[in-house]
Amino acid sequence: EAGVTQFPSHSVIEKGQTVTLRCDPISGHDNLYWYRRVMGKEIKFLLHFVKESKQDESGMPNNRFLAERTGGTYSTLKVQPAELEDSGVYFCASSLTGRLANTGELFFGEGSRLTVL
Amino acid sequence: RKEVEQDPGPFNVPEGATVAFNCTYSNSGSSQSFFWYRQDCRKEPKLLMSVYSSGNEDGRFTAQLNRASQYISLLIRDSKLSDSATYLCVSLSGGYNKLIFGAGTRLAVHP
């Protein structure tokens, strides 16, 4: 069974440009999450989708970030315009249930590494 | 103050050694849940084990939670080369949908 897949694995762009990251969750997982790790910091929550609806977007840094999940399948995270501090690794994760207290298990993709020059 | 704090390491240990990591947390509710994740270099984090107040063991790995002192520990016995990785201490937010990660503790096991 395919795991969570993310594309691209690495993107290098200049400040002010736009980048769109894509995530395909595990088939059947209604819950999809975006997290990111900036250099030297911990992995931080960005937002949580249940199917196509945003359940929690409290971690989104600002309005330069736009996440979508049309149709409740794959998701995209667009950064426009990108700033230097947006550099980091963007992880997507999915789970069957949104109540993580039982197992705490999220299935992560390998991440999309974004470098903004 | 960060919600979850860990010693970044690295911990350099020989094969066969026993190594322990601690993690402290803040802003806890009595029902807050905790986990250890493992992340290999340039790979995704993967759940290693949950942490229960009564302590729990999975093979060579033992996790403990001390709510009174607000710390979590992970003990690895008989270290293997394949245990080399970053170990992430994770708490689950009160809303039960958001994982809060520590920055990770790096372990390097050498021959």
Side-chain angles (χ1 to χ4, degrees):
Chain A
E1 181 183 331
V4 177
T5 57
Q6 294 187 242
F7 182 83
S9 57
H10 193 184
S11 181
V12 182
I13 62 173
E14 293 190 351
K15 176 182 170 181
Q17 290 186 319
T18 297
V19 63
T20 300
L21 310 177
R22 172 174 170 140
C23 168
D24 286 79
I26 291 172
S27 178
H29 282 192
D30 287 340
N31 294 273
L32 185 150
Y33 309 78
W34 283 98
Y35 283 77
R36 78 169 177 178
R37 183 172 202 158
V38 297
M39 183 68 74
K41 300 284 188 179
E42 62 276 14
I43 297 171
K44 283 195 172 178
F45 170 87
L46 295 178
L47 87 162
H48 170 206
F49 282 101
V50 177
K51 297 185 180 178
E52 67 275 11
S53 299
K54 290 176 185 173
Q55 182 77 10
D56 181 352
E57 52 183 329
S58 60
M60 294 288 265
N62 51 61
N63 60 10
R64 295 185 295 102
F65 290 76
L66 175 64
E68 295 181 318
R69 194 183 182 196
T70 307
T73 54
Y74 72 90
S75 174
T76 58
L77 179 64
K78 182 192 290 188
V79 185
Q80 178 183 32
E83 298 289 344
L84 299 179
E85 64 265 24
D86 300 333
S87 296
V89 182
Y90 289 77
F91 290 103
C92 178
S94 71
S95 67
L96 197 55
T97 171
R99 288 191 62 83
L100 302 178
N102 292 337
T103 69
E105 186 160 26
L106 289 187
F107 296 90
F108 283 84
E110 291 197 356
S112 290
R113 183 173 296 273
L114 173 64
T115 302
V116 183
L117 303 175
Chain B
R1 185 188 169 188
K2 294 180 182 178
E3 290 188 58
V4 178
E5 297 213 52
Q6 298 181 250
D7 180 345
F11 285 65
N12 293 299
V13 303
E15 276 186 287
T18 295
V19 62
F21 309 135
N22 288 332
C23 158
T24 57
Y25 64 89
S26 60
N27 294 329
S28 73
S30 60
S31 58
Q32 194 171 4
S33 303
F34 300 92
F35 312 92
W36 284 101
Y37 271 69
R38 169 194 168 128
Q39 186 176 21
D40 293 300
C41 187
R42 293 185 175 261
K43 292 290 187 179
E44 72 274 23
K46 290 183 179 178
L47 178 67
L48 179 65
M49 60 197 302
S50 301
V51 187
Y52 304 120
S53 297
S54 54
N56 50 300
E57 191 172 305
D58 183 1
R60 297 181 293 107
F61 298 82
T62 300
Q64 290 269 352
L65 166 61
N66 185 319
R67 290 192 187 273
S69 303
Q70 292 188 267
Y71 80 79
I72 300 138
S73 65
L74 177 67
L75 182 78
I76 305 176
R77 291 181 299 279
D78 188 23
S79 298
K80 312 291 184 191
L81 295 177
S82 57
D83 293 334
S84 298
T86 295
Y87 290 83
L88 303 166
C89 180
V90 182
S91 76
L92 184 63
S93 72
Y96 300 114
N97 71 317
K98 186 187 309 181
L99 297 183
I100 311 244
F101 286 83
T105 298
R106 197 153 58 90
L107 171 66
V109 182
H110 57 81

